[in-house]
Amino acid sequence: MDKMTRRTVSVPHPNGDLTQSNLGENDPLERNGDPHAGTPKEKVELGKKVTLLRGISIIVGTIVGAGIFISPKGILKNSGSVGMSLVVWIACGILSLFGALSYAELGTCIKKSGGHYTYILEAFGPQVAFVRLWADMIAIRPAGFAVTALAFGRYILEPIFMPCGVPETAVKLATAIGFTMAMYLNSMSVSWTARIQIFLTFSKLLAFAIIIVPGLYLLFKGETKNFENAFEVNTVDLSGLPLAFYSGMYAYAGWFYLNFVTEEVENPERTVPLAICISMVIVMICYTLINVAYYTVMSAEELLASNAVAVTFAEKLMGDFSVAVPVFVALSCFGSMNGGIFAISRMFYVASREGQLPEVLSMIHIRRHTPIPAVIVLYPITLLILFLGDIYSLLNFMSFLRWFFIGVAVVGLIYMRHTRPDMPRPFKVPIIIPAVFSFACFFMVFLSLYSDPFNTGIGFAISLTGIPAYYIFIYTERKPKWFQKFSDSVNRSLQIILQVVPAEH
């Protein structure tokens, strides 16, 4: 495997001397500023702090963003009837479970963090993995974070400005503050990030309960008029069903995030499959019941006319209490953002460790034991896109690439069954599960090419720029001296400023 040349960087010692960044056994650097200097130092590494509960909160917390509260109408519009829309929600949940089970096998046989990137690297080598990494860094992740942060900013301000609209400047300011808070939290403490994620996940489940319980109560009381003729055949548009599935799969996306932090999971052979299965069952049940509750209170026409379905639901059923719904939506978005940053930073950490990103991104804070450089690397470009870019166009370019590379990773599972049959597989799924899921991913990619060839083509072009980038920055072993000097200087400066050192193994 091609690796970038690694150079040992020096950082200032507390007594003013220089010491090597890969600290020796008795080096007091990591006790800099610690009143207990001189006591035996704690190993600088990412600890195994992700328990089963924290794993479930990462998956549920990142799957459930603003979408289920705001706009399930994409599925209803393209499926053509209430009954078919519920079938699509359940089918997308089962299909996502297939993908999640495939990733559970990958996560237990390849015990490295990094998710899609690591599995593509193991199956197909560094070139294909770098193209995935490149697309993630320059567009997919910054645009995704910007959209989630914008939803947070808009809904956290909604109760303040009701019944007026929220000014765009205020939205962007609140968005930037929210995203900065999530970045800061992930930089400061893994434990606190996990605790807040658990709290936010329970907040989402409470929001679900506030909608589901009164909706089902009315349903059992006999409010079933909106379910009459639920499967009217003449309203079902078969050509729209693939688009309905596309919307549904997007709503369930996020089941793969625990695989980005495998190295930090306690007992991954047991925890990863269990957390994935429990999380997917919770989300499937909640998504189906919340849609049943919506249809109990609102007709299909009312739901299609609404821009924020949960808000419309609350206004019809709860009156003044509906002001709480935007707050729950905002908390849901913050949880999705927080979990996403936690997981994605580990992909950059692993890519740096593999020599495909600057060395400083695989370093850890000497006291907080968080990968600060990998956490904050997307911060500047995300804010730039937020204030200057056309976020939604960028998402259109890139959303299909997500499914393409997830499909490639799952094909890698099938490929490694043949090329590495002796690999230990503590959790093994029937081959039909990854086969069906990867076919569904590539079908969605084909659908994108057919329905929107222009935007899809631009997305492919952006990702293919990763090929020359790989040969310029990674494959060429002999870099110009000025480039090496500049790279070492930047690594050294960032290491000193951020107080980070390579992880000890």
Side-chain angles (χ1 to χ4, degrees), residues 201-274:
T201 300
F202 277 107
S203 298
K204 296 180 189 197
L205 296 177
L206 176 61
F208 280 162
I210 289 171
I211 294 170
I212 290 170
V213 171
L216 292 185
Y217 175 73
L218 288 175
L219 181 67
F220 291 132
K221 278 187 69 178
E223 288 286 334
T224 58
K225 62 180 182 298
N226 295 330
F227 293 97
E228 292 171 6
N229 302 316
F231 289 92
E232 275 188 290
V233 178
N234 61 344
T235 62
V236 176
D237 181 8
L238 292 177
S239 63
L241 279 178
L243 293 173
F245 269 89
Y246 201 98
S247 298
M249 293 298 289
Y250 183 82
Y252 279 102
W255 42 261
F256 39 75
Y257 276 116
L258 187 61
N259 294 69
F260 282 78
V261 297
T262 308
E263 292 170 29
E264 295 169 69
V265 176
E266 288 183 357
N267 189 10
E269 292 91 344
R270 174 183 175 274
T271 303
V272 170
L274 206 53

Side-chain angles (χ1 to χ4, degrees), residues 7 43 68 71 82 87 182 209 336 372 468:
R7 293 181 176 232
K43 197 174 181 182
I68 190 64
S71 187
V82 169
V87 169
S336 191
I372 290 181

